[in-house]
Amino acid sequence: DKLSNPWGIYVTNQSTYIADRSNHRIQKWDFGASLATTVAGSTSNPGPWSYQFNNPVAITFDPSGYMYILDAANNRIVQWYPSAPYGITVVSAIMSTPLSMEFDPL
């Protein structure tokens, strides 16, 4: 229920998503809720596996509802369908301190 070094944020009409960097997870707060829900990652358990992150710093969504997480210490971008137990690495490259990402609408 506590954030540790929150970094990225994504706001929808119904919820706020936060990249909880030092807890290695993505938290979702529904408007009006008193507690958040972990929707991606494994709390305080960093790692390279498809269900883990190591310092997630940014989050965004595509028009189909897929969530994309910039997993900085693992040098990757992970595609995650909300409610899925794991994600799929869609970009893996050596990055120098990545802090944000966005989709090109074209």
Side-chain angles (χ1 to χ4, degrees), residues 27-50:
Q27 292 290 91
K28 176 186 174 188
W29 252 285
D30 291 323
F31 291 120
S34 58
L35 294 174
T37 302
T38 300
V39 295
S42 182
T43 302
S44 299
N45 185 20
W49 302 106
S50 61

Side-chain angles (χ1 to χ4, degrees), residues 2-4 16 19 24 33 35 39 47 52 55 62 65-66 69-71 73 75 77 88-89 97 101 105-106:
K2 295 180 182 174
L3 299 174
S4 180
T16 299
H24 313 289
L35 294 174
V39 295
Q52 295 174 308
N55 293 320
D62 71 11
Y66 286 96
I69 299 113
L70 178 55
D71 187 14
N75 293 305
I77 297 173
I88 298 167
T89 299
T97 317
M101 65 178 169
L106 300 177

Side-chain angles (χ1 to χ4, degrees), residues 1-105:
D1 65 336
K2 295 180 182 174
L3 299 174
S4 180
N5 198 13
W7 202 267
I9 187 168
Y10 188 90
V11 180
T12 69
N13 289 337
Q14 301 149 354
S15 304
T16 299
Y17 294 82
I18 299 171
D20 190 8
R21 185 175 182 180
S22 294
N23 280 324
H24 313 289
R25 65 185 178 183
I26 304 300
Q27 292 290 91
K28 176 186 174 188
W29 252 285
D30 291 323
F31 291 120
S34 58
L35 294 174
T37 302
T38 300
V39 295
S42 182
T43 302
S44 299
N45 185 20
W49 302 106
S50 61
Y51 64 92
Q52 295 174 308
F53 299 114
N54 192 352
N55 293 320
V57 295
I59 180 171
T60 192
F61 284 83
D62 71 11
S64 298
Y66 286 96
M67 183 171 32
Y68 292 83
I69 299 113
L70 178 55
D71 187 14
N74 282 323
N75 293 305
R76 65 183 178 178
I77 297 173
V78 177
Q79 179 189 51
W80 199 293
Y81 190 75
S83 77
Y86 59 88
I88 298 167
T89 299
V90 293
V91 174
S92 180
I94 300 300
M95 300 180 217
S96 179
T97 317
L99 299 176
S100 67
M101 65 178 169
E102 63 183 65
F103 283 108
D104 184 349

